Amino acid sequence: MVSLRRTAPSREVALAFLALVALPACLETHKRGERGLAPAAQEESGLPPICEGFKRTRRTRLLAVIGSHVLRHDAPVTALALSKDGRVLLSAGNDSVVKVWEARTGKELTTFAGHKKEVLSVAISPDGKRALSGGDTVKLWETGDGSEVKTLAAHEGEVTQVAFVPGSPRALSAGKDGKLVLWDLETGDVVRSWEKAHPCGVYSLAVSPSGELALAGGLEGRLKLFDLATGRELVAFEDGHLGTVNAIAFVPGSLRAVSAGDDHFLRLWDIASGKELAKLEGHGNRVSSVAVSPDGSRAISASADATLRLWDLAGASGEGTAPGERLPGHGRELRAVVFSPDGKHAFSGCADGTIESWDLDSRKSLATGHRGAVTSLHARGDLLLTGSTDHGVRLWSAATGRLVRELKHDDTVVGVAFSPDRQHALSATPVAIRLWDLESGTELWARRAKMQTASLALSSDGFLYLTGKASYSSPLDMGAQEKRVGYAYGVLALGMLDRDPRVSDVALGPETRQFAARENACDEVTAVAFSPDGKTAFTGGTGCLELWGIETGRIKATLAGHKEMVDALCVSPDGRHALTGSRDGAVVFWDLVAKKVAERLKGHDGAVSAVAFSPDEKLALSASKDGTIRLWDLATEKEVDAIDLTSSADAPTSLAFVSERDFVVGTTRGAVLRFQLLSPDKK
């Protein structure tokens, strides 16, 4: 456990810490069960897979990815398949592609691009060399290089399922047209077709381990067993699901199979007789996918109720079967699940486009990183706070990357801040502000916002906090802000965490004082900050930086310098300068003593989302939606380096220094990256 107690470190301890965080920690071996820095890929670069594409620049190098991260599609994940040796994972999505991953490290190996619509099913051959995908048609692929071998066309509608036939060069496909089609993969010819396997549509399919039998489930909720050699329908199951059969899996070493349906149930069947052996109850919504462990002892299911459940098949019988053990899911509807070959791990795919790996012994996800964009972060000493669109706040050890604590909101987190002693944290969503005890993870208080909160800051002494808000002078539909009625203006609110002698009329706890409303066309106060002495508040609005007196609650100065909304703001440690970033793509360096623009730092091609001073105030960082992080020398007012994240289809959203040499960056894909500054003479 990382200590949260405030200490006064000795000079030797401080130097030791600086040496520690300077180490390339992502080169360390990722121990089993350790939930910290991403495992290093076995590459010459030594960086984890997510780091690929980030080359060492003139002045920076990537040290580590904090936390282990989910894999991701740009649309809901619809299907998963894992090679027999467990090395290669395939994922299909509504983004019309199939992605090929190195299962152990999460490295993306290649992408199958060729479908014109969503891909509904995917399968990998027993030797792992070829893959099948089904969607608008059936396609056969080379797994290694992602090249398309051939397209198999026989269905008259969407192809819902594909499967290889073990022990033969054949494959099976199922479609919404009600057909099952057996293919010769060498010639691309149809071997056999069951025209009315399920007249209303075939939605699930499984081939037995021997390659002799196939089970197909239909829209009407029934299952049928077919002999692939003769084409005979062997068994039409007596009962069925009360709704579509979404998935089927054979139980190895037995004459049993498990099916999953829209009726929220899994059902265990005797395939020889077609009789139901057990009904497995526990899910609260449609069961989308089911997989059986290689030894046939367990099943795992994925549901639209956002959970996985692990079932004991050995003890399953009749109506009295105990509910499967619940594993919390991704937070949204789960669409797919597969077992690892050793039965100790599983992968799940979600409607939010993410894929997670699970340790089934500990019942925990191996992904500790955010599942949504990192919206905010705050570093203090060796601890780091991050907030995300996944509604979560995470507390990390910045040195080791270990997840210390996870806190949960019910909406996007727009701001996070440590108390000076690091015992507490403040976090904000558009509708609420919460104070947390970090040692226990308990919520101390919550304040519901009457207007949407857009930004958050905490004074250096921990007495006061600021929130930038959107206020409206007449009613409007808060669920659809484009339907605004009346005049809108930004509001700055002041709150207190402890008694502050400077502000006598602010009550203890979460009560706040609203500052004078900004009577201009600014929709919201999008960025806020305190001066180091806590006497001045700074806000970013439409094209300007404003200074407020904490005691008076009134504007002291308005400084114009941008053409569009200011979304990023920070004040230098000595309080003499400020940085602002705007949607106009500009970074402005301000002289707060003279109350004027010192320099405009130009280089970004998109909105600036974050800015930060280095601890020695010699350098500045800026992050932009153009996908780059730029490093500026404030003495020369020149750009000295740029880091481009676009090669990983990512963009920086937030950033902060954690030491004189190291800084962290949050991204739209949920990553938290730790970089190190290099000396100017180093390459």
Side-chain angles (χ1 to χ4, degrees):
M1 175 70 182
V2 175
S3 174
L4 304 178
R5 300 297 174 194
R6 192 178 189 183
T7 59
S10 65
R11 181 174 181 274
E12 290 74 18
V13 171
L15 290 174
F17 171 69
L18 289 175
L20 176 62
V21 297
L23 291 174
C26 66
L27 306 183
E28 298 172 7
T29 301
H30 182 70
K31 299 181 178 65
R32 181 180 175 184
E34 182 182 28
R35 307 174 77 205
L37 295 173
Q42 300 304 308
E43 306 285 343
E44 282 189 4
S45 66
L47 294 173
I50 196 170
C51 303
E52 293 199 353
F54 307 148
K55 297 179 180 178
R56 181 182 295 194
T57 62
R58 299 188 301 272
R59 291 289 304 274
T60 63
R61 65 173 175 176
L62 180 63
L63 290 183
V65 180
I66 294 178
S68 54
H69 293 268
V70 296
L71 313 180
R72 192 179 298 274
H73 275 259
D74 294 328
V77 175
T78 55
L80 297 172
L82 192 61
S83 63
K84 193 173 181 180
D85 60 10
R87 294 183 178 182
V88 176
L89 175 71
L90 303 182
S91 61
N94 279 359
D95 50 7
S96 305
V97 301
V98 175
K99 290 181 179 288
V100 183
W101 311 89
E102 187 175 73
R104 184 182 64 83
T105 65
K107 177 183 179 180
E108 185 176 332
L109 301 174
T110 189
T111 298
F112 303 162
H115 286 281
K116 296 179 180 179
K117 296 181 179 180
E118 62 265 31
V119 184
L120 301 177
S121 181
V122 67
I124 189 166
S125 62
D127 62 7
K129 294 181 179 180
R130 288 190 167 183
L132 282 167
S133 59
D136 50 352
T137 186
V138 179
K139 290 184 179 291
L140 180 66
W141 309 86
E142 291 288 353
T143 307
D145 61 8
S147 61
E148 182 180 327
V149 179
K150 55 173 61 82
T151 297
L152 308 175
H155 290 279
E156 297 173 0
E158 286 185 312
V159 179
T160 57
Q161 296 290 331
V162 291
F164 283 93
V165 178
S168 75
R170 295 181 174 182
L172 202 60
S173 62
K176 291 183 179 180
D177 57 5
K179 293 196 295 188
L180 280 180
V181 180
L182 183 64
W183 301 90
D184 184 318
L185 295 179
E186 292 181 347
T187 65
D189 295 333
V190 174
V191 178
R192 180 174 289 108
S193 178
W194 293 263
E195 295 296 319
K196 295 183 179 180
H198 286 279
C200 296
V202 185
Y203 282 77
S204 52
L205 174 67
V207 177
S208 65
S210 66
E212 298 173 328
L213 304 173
L215 267 173
L219 180 70
E220 79 287 353
R222 298 300 181 94
L223 288 83
K224 294 180 180 180
L225 182 68
F226 297 92
D227 185 315
L228 294 181
T230 66
R232 290 174 54 209
E233 181 183 311
L234 300 177
V235 183
F237 288 23
E238 295 178 1
D239 300 310
H241 288 272
L242 302 176
T244 304
V245 183
N246 296 314
I248 306 171
F250 280 92
V251 179
S254 74
L255 294 175
R256 298 183 300 165
V258 182
S259 61
D262 272 358
D263 56 6
H264 307 183
F265 301 134
L266 286 92
R267 298 177 189 267
L268 182 64
W269 305 92
D270 181 300
I271 62 172
S273 65
K275 292 184 178 180
E276 182 180 302
L277 301 176
K279 182 168 69 174
L280 310 181
E281 302 181 47
H283 283 296
N285 207 326
R286 176 179 68 257
V287 187
S288 305
S289 180
V290 64
V292 176
S293 61
D295 64 4
S297 65
R298 298 190 294 181
I300 190 168
S301 54
S303 170
D305 66 7
T307 68
L308 299 172
R309 284 187 181 269
L310 197 60
W311 309 84
D312 179 6
L313 295 183
S317 62
E319 296 283 343
T321 300
E325 186 176 355
R326 180 181 181 275
L327 281 67
H330 303 231
R332 289 185 61 186
E333 175 184 349
L334 293 173
R335 300 279 184 88
V337 65
V338 290
F339 263 109
S340 65
D342 61 7
K344 295 180 179 180
H345 299 85
F347 290 90
S348 60
C350 183
D352 65 5
T354 60
I355 303 162
E356 286 194 39
S357 57
W358 299 82
D359 183 324
L360 297 180
D361 290 337
S362 66
R363 309 297 197 261
K364 291 181 179 180
S365 168
L366 296 177
T368 59
H370 285 290
R371 298 174 179 88
V374 177
T375 57
S376 50
L377 51 81
H378 187 205
R380 191 176 287 276
D382 61 345
L383 293 179
L384 176 67
L385 271 177
T386 56
S388 170
T389 58
D390 65 7
H391 304 180
V393 175
R394 284 173 168 78
L395 174 66
W396 308 89
S397 164
T400 67
R402 186 168 67 87
L403 179 64
V404 178
R405 185 78 64 202
E406 185 173 0
L407 312 171
K408 201 68 178 173
H409 276 278
D410 53 7
D411 203 345
T412 293
V413 178
V414 297
V416 293
F418 277 110
S419 63
D421 61 4
R422 307 188 306 175
Q423 297 300 302
H424 303 94
L426 200 63
S427 58
T429 72
V431 297
I433 302 164
R434 287 182 167 89
L435 180 67
W436 307 88
D437 181 294
L438 291 179
E439 193 72 51
S440 63
T442 57
E443 179 186 297
L444 299 178
W445 55 253
R447 181 176 185 271
R448 303 294 295 183
K450 295 181 180 180
M451 55 197 75
Q452 289 211 36
T453 299
S455 47
L456 173 72
L458 186 64
S459 61
S460 59
D461 57 15
F463 284 122
L464 302 173
Y465 67 89
L466 290 169
T467 54
K469 298 173 177 289
S471 181
Y472 302 89
S473 59
S474 58
L476 86 151
D477 178 1
M478 294 300 288
Q481 291 194 22
E482 67 275 7
K483 300 178 181 178
R484 291 177 177 172
V485 180
Y487 181 71
Y489 52 86
V491 170
L492 180 66
L494 177 71
M496 179 176 281
L497 296 184
D498 202 350
R499 178 65 66 187
D500 188 340
R502 294 169 302 184
V503 187
S504 59
D505 60 339
V506 180
L508 285 171
E511 297 300 317
T512 62
R513 182 180 78 185
Q514 181 175 305
F515 281 29
R518 288 167 48 90
E519 296 182 356
N520 55 30
C522 179
D523 288 342
E524 56 187 335
V525 176
T526 48
V528 295
F530 277 100
S531 62
D533 62 9
K535 295 180 179 180
T536 303
F538 298 84
T539 62
T542 302
C544 63
L545 172 66
E546 291 189 328
L547 287 65
W548 302 69
I550 292 295
E551 293 183 3
T552 64
R554 297 193 177 278
I555 295 175
K556 297 163 61 175
T558 298
L559 311 180
H562 289 282
K563 297 178 182 179
E564 295 184 35
M565 188 75 73
V566 174
D567 288 326
L569 165 64
C570 71
V571 179
S572 63
D574 65 4
R576 297 174 61 87
H577 296 91
L579 286 168
T580 53
S582 169
R583 296 176 195 178
D584 60 14
V587 176
V588 173
F589 179 42
W590 299 88
D591 183 332
L592 296 180
V593 177
K595 294 184 173 57
K596 67 177 184 179
V597 173
E599 187 62 36
R600 300 181 192 278
L601 308 176
K602 297 180 180 180
H604 288 295
D605 295 324
V608 178
S609 53
V611 289
F613 282 100
S614 64
D616 61 8
E617 303 182 33
K618 294 180 180 179
L619 301 171
L621 285 171
S622 58
S624 170
K625 291 183 179 179
D626 65 9
T628 66
I629 304 152
R630 297 182 186 272
L631 180 67
W632 309 88
D633 186 318
L634 295 178
T636 63
E637 299 169 346
K638 301 292 184 182
E639 178 188 313
V640 294
D641 203 7
I643 305 166
D644 190 348
L645 305 188
T646 57
S647 60
S648 294
D650 210 347
T653 57
S654 48
L655 48 81
F657 276 89
V658 296
S659 73
E660 292 285 342
R661 298 178 62 194
D662 289 13
F663 62 93
V664 289
V665 177
T667 78
T668 57
R669 297 179 72 87
V672 181
L673 311 174
R674 193 172 87 223
F675 291 89
Q676 183 184 68
L677 291 177
L678 303 175
S679 299
D681 57 340
K682 289 187 178 180
K683 297 181 180 180

Coordinates of all heavy atoms in Angstrom, one line a residue, residues 319-375:
E319 N -33.8 -27.2 -12.0 CA -34.1 -25.8 -11.8 C -33.4 -25.2 -10.6 O -33.4 -24.0 -10.5 CB -35.7 -25.7 -11.5 CG -36.5 -26.1 -12.7 CD -36.5 -25.0 -13.8 OE1 -36.2 -23.9 -13.5 OE2 -36.9 -25.4 -15.0
G320 N -32.8 -26.0 -9.8 CA -32.2 -25.5 -8.5 C -30.8 -25.1 -8.6 O -30.1 -24.9 -7.6
T321 N -30.2 -25.0 -9.8 CA -28.8 -24.6 -9.9 C -28.6 -23.2 -9.4 O -29.3 -22.3 -9.7 CB -28.4 -24.7 -11.4 OG1 -28.7 -26.0 -11.9 CG2 -27.0 -24.3 -11.6
A322 N -27.5 -23.1 -8.6 CA -27.1 -21.8 -8.0 C -26.7 -20.8 -9.1 O -26.2 -21.2 -10.1 CB -26.0 -22.0 -7.0
P323 N -27.0 -19.5 -8.9 CA -26.6 -18.5 -9.9 C -25.1 -18.5 -10.1 O -24.3 -18.8 -9.1 CB -27.0 -17.2 -9.2 CG -28.1 -17.6 -8.3 CD -27.7 -18.9 -7.8
G324 N -24.6 -18.3 -11.3 CA -23.2 -18.2 -11.5 C -22.6 -17.1 -10.7 O -23.2 -16.1 -10.4
E325 N -21.3 -17.2 -10.4 CA -20.6 -16.2 -9.7 C -20.4 -15.0 -10.6 O -19.9 -15.0 -11.7 CB -19.2 -16.7 -9.3 CG -18.4 -15.8 -8.4 CD -17.1 -16.4 -7.9 OE1 -16.9 -17.6 -8.2 OE2 -16.4 -15.6 -7.3
R326 N -20.8 -13.8 -10.0 CA -20.8 -12.6 -10.8 C -19.4 -11.9 -10.8 O -18.8 -11.7 -9.8 CB -21.8 -11.6 -10.2 CG -22.0 -10.3 -10.9 CD -23.0 -9.4 -10.2 NE -23.2 -8.2 -10.8 CZ -22.5 -7.1 -10.6 NH1 -21.5 -7.2 -9.8 NH2 -22.7 -5.9 -11.2
L327 N -19.0 -11.5 -12.1 CA -17.8 -10.7 -12.3 C -18.3 -9.4 -12.8 O -19.0 -9.4 -13.8 CB -16.8 -11.4 -13.2 CG -15.9 -12.5 -12.8 CD1 -16.8 -13.7 -12.4 CD2 -14.9 -12.8 -13.9
P328 N -17.9 -8.3 -12.2 CA -18.3 -7.0 -12.7 C -17.7 -6.8 -14.1 O -16.6 -7.1 -14.3 CB -17.8 -6.0 -11.7 CG -16.7 -6.7 -11.0 CD -17.1 -8.2 -11.0
G329 N -18.5 -6.2 -15.0 CA -18.1 -6.1 -16.3 C -17.5 -4.7 -16.6 O -16.9 -4.0 -15.8
H330 N -17.6 -4.3 -17.9 CA -17.0 -3.0 -18.3 C -17.8 -1.8 -18.0 O -17.4 -0.7 -18.2 CB -16.8 -3.1 -19.9 CG -16.1 -4.2 -20.4 ND1 -15.0 -4.1 -21.3 CD2 -16.1 -5.6 -20.2 CE1 -14.5 -5.2 -21.6 NE2 -15.2 -6.2 -20.9
G331 N -19.0 -2.0 -17.5 CA -19.9 -0.9 -17.2 C -21.0 -0.7 -18.2 O -21.9 0.1 -18.0
R332 N -20.9 -1.4 -19.3 CA -21.9 -1.4 -20.4 C -22.1 -2.8 -20.9 O -21.5 -3.8 -20.5 CB -21.4 -0.5 -21.5 CG -21.4 1.0 -21.2 CD -21.1 1.9 -22.4 NE -22.1 1.7 -23.4 CZ -22.0 2.2 -24.7 NH1 -20.9 3.0 -24.9 NH2 -22.9 2.1 -25.6
E333 N -23.1 -2.9 -21.8 CA -23.5 -4.2 -22.3 C -22.3 -5.0 -22.8 O -21.5 -4.5 -23.6 CB -24.5 -4.0 -23.5 CG -24.9 -5.3 -24.2 CD -25.8 -5.0 -25.3 OE1 -26.3 -3.9 -25.5 OE2 -26.0 -6.0 -26.1
L334 N -22.2 -6.3 -22.4 CA -21.2 -7.2 -22.8 C -21.7 -8.0 -24.0 O -22.8 -8.5 -24.0 CB -20.7 -8.1 -21.7 CG -20.0 -7.3 -20.6 CD1 -19.7 -8.3 -19.4 CD2 -18.7 -6.8 -21.1
R335 N -20.8 -8.2 -25.0 CA -21.3 -8.8 -26.3 C -20.6 -10.2 -26.5 O -21.1 -11.0 -27.3 CB -21.0 -7.9 -27.5 CG -21.7 -6.6 -27.4 CD -23.1 -6.7 -27.9 NE -23.8 -5.4 -27.9 CZ -23.8 -4.6 -29.0 NH1 -23.1 -4.9 -30.1 NH2 -24.5 -3.4 -28.9
A336 N -19.4 -10.4 -26.0 CA -18.6 -11.6 -26.3 C -17.7 -12.0 -25.2 O -17.3 -11.2 -24.4 CB -17.8 -11.3 -27.6
V337 N -17.4 -13.3 -25.1 CA -16.5 -13.8 -24.1 C -15.8 -15.1 -24.6 O -16.5 -15.9 -25.4 CB -17.2 -14.1 -22.8 CG1 -18.2 -15.2 -22.9 CG2 -16.2 -14.4 -21.7
V338 N -14.6 -15.3 -24.3 CA -13.8 -16.5 -24.7 C -12.9 -16.9 -23.5 O -12.5 -16.1 -22.8 CB -13.0 -16.4 -26.0 CG1 -13.9 -16.3 -27.2 CG2 -12.0 -15.2 -25.8
F339 N -12.7 -18.3 -23.4 CA -11.8 -18.8 -22.4 C -10.4 -18.9 -23.0 O -10.2 -19.1 -24.2 CB -12.2 -20.2 -22.0 CG -13.0 -20.3 -20.7 CD1 -14.3 -20.7 -20.8 CD2 -12.4 -20.2 -19.5 CE1 -15.1 -20.8 -19.6 CE2 -13.1 -20.3 -18.3 CZ -14.5 -20.6 -18.4
S340 N -9.4 -18.8 -22.1 CA -8.0 -19.1 -22.6 C -7.8 -20.6 -22.6 O -8.6 -21.4 -22.0 CB -7.0 -18.5 -21.6 OG -7.1 -19.1 -20.3
P341 N -6.8 -21.2 -23.3 CA -6.7 -22.6 -23.4 C -6.5 -23.3 -22.1 O -6.8 -24.5 -21.9 CB -5.4 -22.8 -24.3 CG -5.4 -21.5 -25.1 CD -5.9 -20.4 -24.2
D342 N -5.9 -22.6 -21.1 CA -5.7 -23.2 -19.8 C -6.9 -23.1 -18.9 O -6.9 -23.6 -17.7 CB -4.4 -22.7 -19.1 CG -4.5 -21.2 -18.8 OD1 -5.5 -20.6 -19.1 OD2 -3.4 -20.7 -18.4
G343 N -7.9 -22.3 -19.3 CA -9.1 -22.1 -18.5 C -8.9 -21.2 -17.3 O -9.9 -21.0 -16.5
K344 N -7.8 -20.6 -17.2 CA -7.5 -19.7 -16.0 C -7.8 -18.2 -16.3 O -7.9 -17.4 -15.4 CB -6.1 -19.8 -15.6 CG -5.8 -21.2 -15.0 CD -4.3 -21.3 -14.6 CE -4.0 -22.7 -14.0 NZ -2.6 -22.8 -13.6
H345 N -8.0 -17.9 -17.6 CA -8.2 -16.5 -18.0 C -9.3 -16.4 -19.0 O -9.7 -17.5 -19.6 CB -6.9 -15.9 -18.6 CG -5.8 -15.8 -17.6 ND1 -4.9 -16.9 -17.5 CD2 -5.4 -14.8 -16.8 CE1 -4.0 -16.5 -16.6 NE2 -4.3 -15.3 -16.1
A346 N -9.9 -15.3 -19.2 CA -10.9 -15.0 -20.2 C -10.8 -13.7 -20.8 O -10.2 -12.8 -20.2 CB -12.3 -15.2 -19.6
F347 N -11.3 -13.5 -22.0 CA -11.4 -12.2 -22.6 C -12.9 -11.8 -22.8 O -13.7 -12.7 -23.2 CB -10.7 -12.1 -24.0 CG -9.2 -12.2 -23.9 CD1 -8.5 -13.5 -23.9 CD2 -8.4 -11.1 -23.8 CE1 -7.2 -13.6 -23.8 CE2 -7.0 -11.2 -23.7 CZ -6.4 -12.4 -23.7
S348 N -13.2 -10.6 -22.6 CA -14.6 -10.1 -22.8 C -14.6 -8.9 -23.7 O -13.7 -8.1 -23.7 CB -15.3 -9.8 -21.5 OG -14.6 -8.8 -20.8
G349 N -15.7 -8.8 -24.6 CA -15.8 -7.7 -25.5 C -17.1 -6.9 -25.1 O -18.1 -7.6 -24.8
C350 N -17.1 -5.6 -25.2 CA -18.1 -4.8 -24.7 C -18.7 -3.8 -25.8 O -18.0 -3.5 -26.8 CB -17.6 -3.9 -23.6 SG -18.8 -2.9 -22.7
A351 N -19.9 -3.4 -25.6 CA -20.6 -2.4 -26.5 C -19.9 -1.1 -26.5 O -20.1 -0.3 -27.4 CB -22.0 -2.2 -26.1
D352 N -19.0 -0.8 -25.5 CA -18.2 0.5 -25.6 C -17.0 0.3 -26.4 O -16.2 1.3 -26.5 CB -17.9 1.0 -24.2 CG -17.0 0.0 -23.4 OD1 -16.5 -1.0 -24.0 OD2 -16.8 0.3 -22.2
G353 N -16.8 -0.8 -27.1 CA -15.6 -1.0 -27.9 C -14.4 -1.6 -27.3 O -13.4 -1.7 -27.9
T354 N -14.5 -1.8 -26.0 CA -13.3 -2.3 -25.2 C -13.3 -3.8 -25.1 O -14.3 -4.5 -25.1 CB -13.2 -1.7 -23.8 OG1 -14.4 -2.1 -23.1 CG2 -13.1 -0.2 -23.9
I355 N -12.0 -4.3 -24.9 CA -11.8 -5.8 -24.7 C -10.9 -5.9 -23.5 O -9.9 -5.2 -23.4 CB -11.1 -6.4 -25.9 CG1 -11.9 -6.2 -27.2 CG2 -10.8 -7.9 -25.6 CD1 -11.1 -6.5 -28.4
E356 N -11.4 -6.7 -22.5 CA -10.6 -6.8 -21.3 C -10.2 -8.3 -21.1 O -10.9 -9.2 -21.5 CB -11.4 -6.4 -20.1 CG -11.6 -4.9 -20.0 CD -12.1 -4.4 -18.6 OE1 -11.6 -5.0 -17.6 OE2 -12.9 -3.5 -18.5
S357 N -9.1 -8.5 -20.4 CA -8.7 -9.8 -20.0 C -8.9 -10.0 -18.5 O -8.8 -9.0 -17.7 CB -7.2 -10.0 -20.3 OG -6.4 -9.0 -19.7
W358 N -9.2 -11.2 -18.1 CA -9.6 -11.5 -16.7 C -8.8 -12.6 -16.1 O -8.6 -13.6 -16.8 CB -11.1 -11.9 -16.6 CG -12.0 -10.8 -17.1 CD1 -12.4 -10.5 -18.4 CD2 -12.8 -9.9 -16.3 NE1 -13.2 -9.5 -18.5 CE2 -13.5 -9.1 -17.2 CE3 -12.9 -9.7 -15.0 CZ2 -14.3 -8.0 -16.8 CZ3 -13.7 -8.6 -14.5 CH2 -14.4 -7.8 -15.4
D359 N -8.4 -12.5 -14.9 CA -7.8 -13.6 -14.1 C -9.0 -14.3 -13.4 O -9.5 -13.7 -12.4 CB -6.8 -13.0 -13.1 CG -6.1 -14.1 -12.3 OD1 -6.7 -15.1 -12.0 OD2 -4.9 -14.0 -12.1
L360 N -9.3 -15.5 -13.7 CA -10.5 -16.2 -13.2 C -10.2 -16.7 -11.8 O -11.2 -17.0 -11.1 CB -11.0 -17.2 -14.1 CG -11.4 -16.7 -15.5 CD1 -11.9 -17.9 -16.4 CD2 -12.5 -15.7 -15.3
D361 N -8.9 -16.9 -11.4 CA -8.6 -17.3 -10.0 C -8.9 -16.2 -9.0 O -9.6 -16.4 -8.0 CB -7.2 -17.7 -9.9 CG -6.9 -19.0 -10.6 OD1 -7.8 -19.8 -10.9 OD2 -5.7 -19.3 -11.0
S362 N -8.5 -15.0 -9.4 CA -8.8 -13.8 -8.5 C -10.1 -13.2 -8.8 O -10.6 -12.3 -8.0 CB -7.6 -12.8 -8.6 OG -7.7 -12.2 -9.9
R363 N -10.7 -13.5 -9.9 CA -12.0 -12.9 -10.4 C -11.8 -11.4 -10.7 O -12.8 -10.7 -10.5 CB -13.1 -13.1 -9.3 CG -13.3 -14.5 -8.8 CD -13.7 -15.5 -10.0 NE -14.3 -16.7 -9.4 CZ -13.7 -17.8 -9.3 NH1 -12.4 -17.9 -9.7 NH2 -14.3 -18.9 -8.9
K364 N -10.6 -11.0 -11.1 CA -10.4 -9.6 -11.3 C -10.0 -9.4 -12.8 O -9.3 -10.2 -13.4 CB -9.3 -9.1 -10.4 CG -9.7 -9.0 -8.9 CD -8.5 -8.4 -8.1 CE -8.9 -8.3 -6.6 NZ -7.8 -7.8 -5.8
S365 N -10.4 -8.2 -13.3 CA -9.9 -7.7 -14.6 C -8.4 -7.4 -14.5 O -7.9 -6.8 -13.5 CB -10.7 -6.5 -15.0 OG -10.0 -5.9 -16.1
L366 N -7.7 -7.8 -15.5 CA -6.2 -7.5 -15.5 C -6.0 -6.0 -16.0 O -4.8 -5.6 -16.0 CB -5.5 -8.5 -16.4 CG -5.5 -9.9 -15.9 CD1 -4.8 -10.9 -16.8 CD2 -4.9 -10.0 -14.5
A367 N -7.0 -5.4 -16.5 CA -6.9 -4.0 -17.0 C -7.2 -3.0 -15.9 O -8.2 -3.1 -15.3 CB -7.9 -3.7 -18.1
T368 N -6.2 -2.2 -15.5 CA -6.4 -1.2 -14.5 C -6.6 0.2 -15.0 O -6.9 1.1 -14.3 CB -5.2 -1.2 -13.5 OG1 -4.0 -0.9 -14.2 CG2 -5.1 -2.6 -12.8
G369 N -6.3 0.4 -16.3 CA -6.4 1.7 -16.9 C -7.9 2.1 -17.1 O -8.8 1.3 -17.0
H370 N -8.1 3.4 -17.5 CA -9.4 3.9 -17.7 C -10.0 3.3 -19.0 O -9.3 3.0 -20.0 CB -9.4 5.4 -17.8 CG -9.2 6.1 -16.5 ND1 -10.2 6.1 -15.6 CD2 -8.2 6.8 -16.0 CE1 -9.8 6.8 -14.5 NE2 -8.6 7.2 -14.7
R371 N -11.3 3.1 -19.0 CA -12.0 2.6 -20.2 C -12.5 3.7 -21.1 O -13.1 3.5 -22.1 CB -13.2 1.7 -19.7 CG -12.7 0.5 -18.9 CD -13.9 -0.3 -18.4 NE -13.5 -1.4 -17.7 CZ -13.2 -1.5 -16.4 NH1 -13.3 -0.3 -15.7 NH2 -12.9 -2.6 -15.8
G372 N -12.4 5.0 -20.6 CA -12.8 6.1 -21.4 C -11.6 7.1 -21.4 O -10.6 6.9 -20.9
A373 N -11.9 8.3 -22.1 CA -10.9 9.3 -22.1 C -10.5 9.8 -20.8 O -11.3 10.0 -19.9 CB -11.4 10.5 -23.0
V374 N -9.2 10.1 -20.6 CA -8.7 10.7 -19.3 C -9.0 12.2 -19.5 O -8.4 12.9 -20.3 CB -7.2 10.4 -19.1 CG1 -6.7 11.1 -17.9 CG2 -7.0 8.9 -19.0
T375 N -9.8 12.7 -18.6 CA -10.3 14.1 -18.8 C -9.4 15.1 -17.9 O -9.3 16.3 -18.2 CB -11.7 14.3 -18.3 OG1 -11.9 13.8 -17.0 CG2 -12.6 13.5 -19.2

